[in-house]
Amino acid sequence: KWTNEHSKQLPFSIAQALNASVQGSKFIAGSKQKSALNALAGSSRRYLDRPKPSTQKGFRATVANKRNLATTILPKDGKVGKGYNQQRYLGGNVLGGSRAPKDFGAALMKHPLARNMPSNARLVPTPYWDGKKNQYGNISKTQIKKLFEEANTTHYQSKSVFIGKPRGGSRPPGVYRRHNNNTQLTPLFYAVINVSYRARFPAEKVVGQSIKKDFGLYLRHQLTKNVAKKVKAGKADMRTGIS
């Protein structure tokens, strides 16, 4: 009877322990701070370059239950035009692969005055970027708006922006700043095809190590608690029959 009752409560207890290990539980003190999601947030500051708070908390997890003893951790994928899409950034850093296109990059590539821009390229910043960056090292929306305004000009004065492939020479297509009455171009972005990056955020390892530390403890705690609850309610007979 003792064995049967513990076996009966085991699936529910596993689900509780798994959820607590991954995202924390209000029924287990301190589990949120020790959770895998919290470990990912902390590790992001180690492996990524000045991640935004929304990037640090950019993972979500499905909830396990006694019929489905599994949970999946994925980057949040914000709706188009509504909030920040962490999947686009975190997915590449966790798995590696091609650089995801940024909204402002795609818009600049399709600018009405853009010339000979390859459709399958990505805009990559150069070391010559002359505008401000925010505290996370990113180009601000104000700076992007300014680029569009400067590219819209029909006068080729200094400080205006050229988008496309410069004539003559072997300079690649991109976004350039005009200088000295259009006699000099400084590259701000290059349009690069097949931009690929290696994985640098070992998220799977971070999650595995985090869950391994606490899952067993949580499981034993919840199993004992759930069996005791049934006994107290008179729904479980734990007597062995041994006098």
Side-chain angles (χ1 to χ4, degrees):
K1 289 180 179 180
W2 187 95
T3 303
N4 287 344
E5 188 57 37
H6 280 75
S7 298
K8 189 186 300 182
Q9 295 301 323
L10 190 57
F12 180 50
S13 302
I14 290 174
Q16 288 179 312
L18 188 54
N19 291 329
S21 299
V22 170
Q23 51 191 321
S25 169
K26 63 181 180 180
F27 300 110
I28 301 178
S31 60
K32 197 172 183 85
Q33 290 73 26
K34 297 178 180 179
S35 68
L37 292 185
N38 203 47
L40 285 171
S43 296
S44 69
R45 297 189 288 272
R46 174 184 175 187
Y47 292 105
L48 304 179
D49 180 21
R50 291 168 289 174
K52 298 177 181 179
S54 56
T55 298
Q56 296 173 35
K57 299 179 181 180
F59 289 94
R60 62 180 177 84
T62 59
V63 178
N65 58 57
K66 63 182 180 180
R67 295 179 184 83
N68 181 25
L69 299 177
T71 180
T72 304
I73 300 175
L74 292 169
K76 296 175 181 176
D77 48 353
K79 295 180 180 178
V80 177
K82 293 185 178 180
Y84 175 51
N85 187 342
Q86 289 92 338
Q87 164 62 36
R88 185 169 55 188
Y89 176 67
L90 286 171
N93 280 289
V94 171
L95 302 175
S98 299
R99 177 188 176 94
K102 293 191 174 183
D103 292 341
F104 81 85
L108 281 170
M109 296 275 289
K110 296 177 181 178
H111 194 284
L113 297 180
R115 301 175 182 175
N116 302 319
M117 294 292 276
S119 59
N120 58 340
R122 303 284 185 268
L123 287 182
V124 178
T126 75
Y128 305 106
W129 168 254
D130 58 358
K132 294 180 181 180
K133 291 184 178 181
N134 61 23
Q135 66 191 92
Y136 307 110
N138 299 321
I139 300 169
S140 68
K141 290 182 179 180
T142 302
Q143 292 293 316
I144 298 303
K145 182 180 179 181
K146 189 176 179 182
L147 273 181
F148 273 86
E149 292 173 351
E150 292 168 339
N152 275 324
T153 180
T154 56
H155 301 288
Y156 298 152
Q157 71 269 28
S158 292
K159 300 294 183 182
S160 63
V161 169
F162 168 79
I163 304 175
K165 180 172 174 52
R167 296 175 182 173
S170 58
R171 290 174 294 185
V175 179
Y176 291 81
R177 173 81 66 197
R178 293 186 178 98
H179 296 284
N180 300 327
N181 293 319
N182 201 31
T183 60
Q184 181 183 353
L185 293 176
T186 299
L188 304 180
F189 297 88
Y190 286 132
V192 182
I193 300 174
N194 296 327
V195 184
S196 185
Y197 296 91
R198 64 178 179 83
R200 60 175 179 169
F201 186 5
E204 186 174 348
K205 181 180 178 181
V206 170
V207 169
Q209 290 175 338
S210 176
I211 293 177
K212 187 177 181 180
K213 286 190 299 183
D214 299 308
F215 175 77
L217 178 65
Y218 293 162
L219 174 56
R220 291 188 291 274
H221 175 270
Q222 291 303 120
L223 184 57
T224 301
K225 181 179 177 181
N226 291 332
V227 171
K229 186 177 180 180
K230 291 295 182 180
V231 171
K232 186 176 181 179
K235 296 181 180 179
D237 183 357
M238 302 292 285
R239 292 174 298 174
T240 63
I242 300 175
S243 57

